[in-house]
Amino acid sequence: MDETIAGEVIHVVPPADHEDYDFEPEMASLADSRYVIVCRKGGKPSWLERIVAFLRRHPIEPVTLVADSAAEEGTEITAAVEETTITGVYDVMEFR
């Protein structure tokens, strides 16, 4: 099932750097020759949202996207994604 995820890009792992990371076998096969993009789900939170999340002990949810194209760290993205068998990891169908 397709869904849309908006988020702030925290970190990008290009395909050439995969060997520097200790991916689980299933993640390594999913990310083969693709970019691994770690995002804060929901976009960039304001300072107030960060403080409220901290006080309520409700962390900001990170998600991992696997895409054919790169994204810039610090930018906000919106992507049509499909869930994978790995919890919190999504396959990007297209960036919007």
Side-chain angles (χ1 to χ4, degrees), residues 21-92:
Y21 293 84
D22 188 25
F23 291 141
E24 295 290 324
E26 189 175 0
M27 180 66 184
S29 68
L30 180 66
D32 185 44
S33 300
R34 300 175 77 197
Y35 291 87
V36 177
I37 304 167
V38 181
C39 297
R40 255 188 212 115
K41 191 173 183 179
K44 187 173 187 171
S46 67
W47 281 104
L48 180 60
E49 290 171 318
R50 289 180 188 195
I51 292 169
V52 170
F54 176 77
L55 293 174
R56 289 187 177 170
R57 301 200 189 286
H58 187 280
I60 297 167
E61 183 181 350
V63 292
T64 302
L65 307 177
V66 179
D68 293 327
S69 58
E72 291 281 325
E73 290 182 12
T75 61
E76 290 193 33
I77 60 168
T78 302
V81 299
E82 189 174 271
E83 278 188 277
T84 65
T85 56
I86 306 170
T87 304
V89 178
Y90 298 87
D91 189 8
V92 174

